Amino acid sequence: MGLIVQKFGGTSVANVERILNVAACVKEETERGNNVVVVVSAMGKSTDQLVGLAKEISPQPNKREMDMLLSTGEQVTISLLSMAINQQGLNAVSFTGWQAGIVTEPVHGNARISKINTEAIQTQLSDGKVVIVAGFQGVTEEGEITTLGRGGSDTTAVALAAALKADKCDIYTDVTGVFTTDPRYVKSARKLLSVSYDEMLELANLGAGVLHPRAVEFAKNYQVQLEVRSSMEKIVGTVIEGEATMEQNLVVRGVAFEDEITKVTVLGLSNSLTSLSTIFTTLAQNHLNVDIIIQSTTEGGSANLSFSIHTNDLLETLKVLEDNKEVLGYEQLDAENKLAKVSIVGSGMISNPGVAAKMFEVLAANNIQIKMVSTSEIKVSAVVEEKQMLKAVEALHAAFELSK
Amino acid sequence: MGLIVQKFGGTSVANVERILNVAACVKEETERGNNVVVVVSAMGKSTDQLVGLAKEISPQPNKREMDMLLSTGEQVTISLLSMAINQQGLNAVSFTGWQAGIVTEPVHGNARISKINTEAIQTQLSDGKVVIVAGFQGVTEEGEITTLGRGGSDTTAVALAAALKADKCDIYTDVTGVFTTDPRYVKSARKLLSVSYDEMLELANLGAGVLHPRAVEFAKNYQVQLEVRSSMEKIVGTVIEGEATMEQNLVVRGVAFEDEITKVTVLGLSNSLTSLSTIFTTLAQNHLNVDIIIQSTTEGGSANLSFSIHTNDLLETLKVLEDNKEVLGYEQLDAENKLAKVSIVGSGMISNPGVAAKMFEVLAANNIQIKMVSTSEIKVSAVVEEKQMLKAVEALHAAFELSK
């Protein structure tokens, strides 16, 4: 008898009909003789509705209270799904984050899981029950409700799979797997049968929305076998594991993209040696994620620094920088909105030094200006204007022959 | 510096505008130099919406999961109200039932509070914070989420006031106080400036919807001074305390009424001596509340038994009786729906034996048939047909000169 963790996202539980569909999906898994732990997100747009209510009350709602508010979304889903499964004659029991023993660091809005006390879940599994856990949420050692930030339900599922030593973690979503690029925007996108953790990590980090990067990290660290698959269509998905079965020895395996990027520039940093670390330490302490970083030194000896962030974090980033202006010692701040990041990813890149050059060539040939560049061993990212994003993706997808 | 517990019901927090109004009301109390604990219900019709979702999934949803679902309603309100109060420059912190230390017996849907661990609230009050607590919910010793049943938020407020030794518990509602009868239906209804716990207990038990009877019981037992007042209009309400200041030496102080009453009849009970206690023990174990009970013995020696319940409990009551038919030893079950209960209440009744007779006389003069009768020291109740309920109320209100 195996143990499977299933995760269903917001679209898969958007209404009563879909929740009943999920219940059927859970039942099938139990009929294959497996114990099942199910992790669910909030129903469809319910999180957006809650955020809307909060914004009506306060332009910058208290973060602790925001977690208190948003965590109700998943709690609604777990109870309804449990009713649906009970209604089918199985025994199910739902757990909020705190009931499931998901302990996080004491941070609101973007907490990391610090440990999982699995006793309560194990007891219910031993009793033959299906255990339904609210994704996206946890509790601090002090009993404060926290949320895990964007895509946190994926992280909950993988962390539970790791803690419970599950045989597999199935991520059910509204797409049938991981594609060479987003099939909603690029028709020639092709589904991959398997990708490695590292490739998926880059794809996820780069905005391929099917899976949260932290979830992939967790899966890699604890060697949890993942499968991304459709909750609507019963077809094989994409397996994510240690060593991907290479379908073809492709250099580039996918093109990822992400909009709502803002480039922040700090001009005239007087003492670049210490101020650089001070800036990013300060931003990190405020839980502001910085992506690409570029530094240049001017003739006078001072430095200019640019970095990219999610546009949502702009106001808070500027506030942190302004509050620390004296310590940081810069002259001026600048921000450029409406940017996007386009990236090519593939393990094969390591041994193919010409890949980045080819990417820049393709973008230039399409009159797409590159604002920032970042590279790692298995990916190259370019920040471009948001309005040119899809054009860039299509050109790269074609140039690297990903639809074949 | 005093400590005030304020309770706001669903209508008072039905939308963002009203939540902001409640925040202002809380701020005013703090400006009078008091510490404040606020208890809130779910927003307006949100509980009904959640129940609707559950019923779409299952005709008889699992009770544990129902509590899991419904408890999200108050959690939404506490977080939004806390944001609103923080936005006003005060420090507020919200607590769910389990965070507030509200421990209940292990029953779902209708749990009683067994104790309140006030440490967490006390700590926040000492820090000068406004503490906002989710009404209607608690947690068992085993960490299961429970709800307190109808009007449970009142109970939460009074229990907290008792546990925290608050100076006063203000119940803010959509009416301006306790009336001689429901002013929505009877225009000549008059607001009472004060009533005693016992009178309020009877009024509350008899369906005067402003205050939950359990809350009044709690208040009486712990001598918590209550005031029922309006969240919209800034006028004095009705004070409920040990010895009511008698405005006039009225024999009858109010007329209460309640619809959706069902009369259940058990025919041909073979051994009435033991079966009577067995029936009501069994119903109580299933948390089914029985109100008026009438027993009559037939010529053959067997007995007939009638009792009244809330119509919502009918299916479950019949199921419990049928499941135990052999043990109980009866012949037949019968149920009569669409009934209502009309009651007159007043401490002065004790020394006025003619009150019940006058009530029956008034009802008879209005061609209203009495189906069941029940009396206590300070009230007389009559079960009548639902369609005659308001006619009975108006006739009694006039006959006992309550509008003067």
Side-chain angles (χ1 to χ4, degrees), chain A residues 16-17 19-20 43 50 53-62 64-73 75-87 92-96 98-99 124 139 143-145, chain B residues 16-17 19-20 43 50 53-62 64-73 75-87 92-96 98-99 124 139 143-145:
Chain A
V16 165
E17 192 193 337
I19 289 173
L20 295 172
M43 291 170 73
L50 292 172
L53 273 176
K55 296 273 178 184
E56 271 187 71
I57 282 181
S58 169
Q60 288 219 303
N62 182 293
R64 175 192 185 277
E65 302 302 338
M66 202 66 190
D67 281 356
M68 179 69 88
L69 180 66
L70 295 186
S71 64
T72 63
Q75 193 171 331
V76 168
T77 320
I78 56 170
S79 58
L80 293 176
L81 179 58
S82 181
M83 288 173 194
I85 294 174
N86 276 297
Q87 179 70 9
V93 62
S94 71
F95 281 150
T96 61
W98 63 270
Q99 289 177 322
Q124 299 292 340
V139 68
E144 293 279 286
I145 293 173
Chain B
V16 165
E17 192 192 336
I19 289 174
L20 294 173
M43 291 169 72
L50 292 173
L53 272 177
K55 296 272 180 187
E56 272 187 70
I57 283 182
S58 170
Q60 288 221 304
N62 181 293
R64 175 192 185 275
E65 301 303 339
M66 203 65 189
D67 281 356
M68 178 68 88
L69 180 67
L70 294 184
S71 64
T72 63
Q75 193 172 331
V76 168
T77 320
I78 56 170
S79 58
L80 293 176
L81 179 58
S82 180
M83 287 173 195
I85 294 174
N86 275 297
Q87 179 71 10
V93 63
S94 70
F95 282 150
T96 61
W98 64 270
Q99 288 177 323
Q124 299 292 338
V139 67
E144 293 279 285
I145 293 173

Side-chain angles (χ1 to χ4, degrees), chain A residues 248-262:
Chain A
Q248 291 172 278
N249 197 14
L250 279 176
V251 175
V252 174
R253 304 261 293 157
V255 181
F257 52 94
E258 190 180 355
D259 57 5
E260 295 196 60
I261 304 285
T262 292

Side-chain angles (χ1 to χ4, degrees), chain B residues 338-389:
Chain B
K338 297 198 190 257
L339 300 178
K341 187 170 67 166
V342 176
S343 312
I344 54 173
V345 175
S347 307
M349 267 183 216
I350 304 174
S351 46
N352 284 271
V355 175
K358 182 168 176 185
M359 180 181 187
F360 304 149
E361 200 178 284
V362 172
L363 294 178
N366 284 276
N367 283 319
I368 296 165
Q369 197 200 341
I370 299 173
K371 305 267 182 179
M372 300 173 96
V373 165
S374 146
T375 60
S376 83
E377 289 186 332
I378 64 166
K379 65 124 204 207
V380 185
S381 299
V383 171
V384 300
E385 282 184 24
E386 207 169 83
K387 63 184 179 195
Q388 291 188 307
M389 177 178 78

